[in-house]
Amino acid sequence: MTDVTNRAPIVPIEQFKRTKIIVTIGPSTSNYKSILAMMKAGANGFRLNFSHGTHEERVEQIEWIRKASKAYGKPVAIIQDLQGPKIRLGDFDGIINVRIGQSLTFKYKAIYEETGIIPTQYDLAKKVKRGERLYLFDGRIQTTITTVKDGTVYARAENDGILVKRKGINLPDTDFGGDIITKKDKADMTFGSTQDIDYVALSFIQHARDIVKVRTML
């Protein structure tokens, strides 16, 4: 790493970047040429999203990143971003229009076309409580939970918008009780421990003990 740093471009302190730029390796950038281009454009860290892809693909991407780092003379970080619990909407056709004040219902693996209940990839009913906030589609739709009954979650929409399948769900008030590290996460951490990875990121952190648990496992 010393040799790489010695070859890094000299930047005057007044031009020194005080913010780190993190880029994600996705389908369109999963190649050496794109990784090198992003590095030259200012990337300081490369995020590997373990919600998608295979371990074999990650091995290749890590090799590309280290090769580009050596060629360009710039040290960069590799970040393993664990998936965590899949708190997302399930599959349904088309889009769902939402109006303020509307009552929405959610259930684990529901079939929307048959029941009108919006499916989720995680059993929210086991964790959420009345009065808690439930945000959908990266916060575009904000709702408040009104009832939890028989495995179904009822919520009131606080604004207009649309819902699309498989979009993320955010639960800022819900206590997951430390149940955020999945079997997949454990397998991915085991794999990551054998690779040249600098950082491990975990989604849905709520307490310091979540971080301690991950560090202990690592």
Side-chain angles (χ1 to χ4, degrees), residues 9 14 32 45 48 51 55 71 84-85 89 111-112 135 144 152 155 162 164 168 184 187 190 214:
E14 64 271 11
Y32 175 76
L48 306 180
S51 295
H55 288 172
L89 295 176
I111 301 177
Y112 180 73
Y135 293 162
T144 301
T152 302
I162 63 170
V164 182
K184 172 175 167 52
T190 299
V214 172

Side-chain angles (χ1 to χ4, degrees), residues 94-155:
I95 64 173
I96 299 175
N97 290 297
V98 178
R99 295 288 177 263
I100 186 171
Q102 180 180 348
S103 178
L104 303 173
T105 53
F106 304 89
K107 192 171 186 178
Y108 181 52
K109 293 185 177 180
I111 301 177
Y112 180 73
E113 289 74 18
E114 296 179 3
T115 64
I117 299 175
I118 301 170
T120 61
Q121 299 180 30
Y122 184 89
D123 194 350
L124 300 174
K126 293 182 177 180
K127 300 292 183 181
V128 301
K129 298 177 181 179
R130 179 181 179 182
E132 293 180 345
R133 293 170 293 174
L134 189 158
Y135 293 162
L136 305 151
F137 199 171
D138 301 322
R140 289 178 174 82
I141 300 294
Q142 301 182 12
T143 74
T144 301
I145 297 170
T146 56
T147 307
V148 181
K149 183 178 181 181
D150 298 329
T152 302
V153 176
Y154 300 81

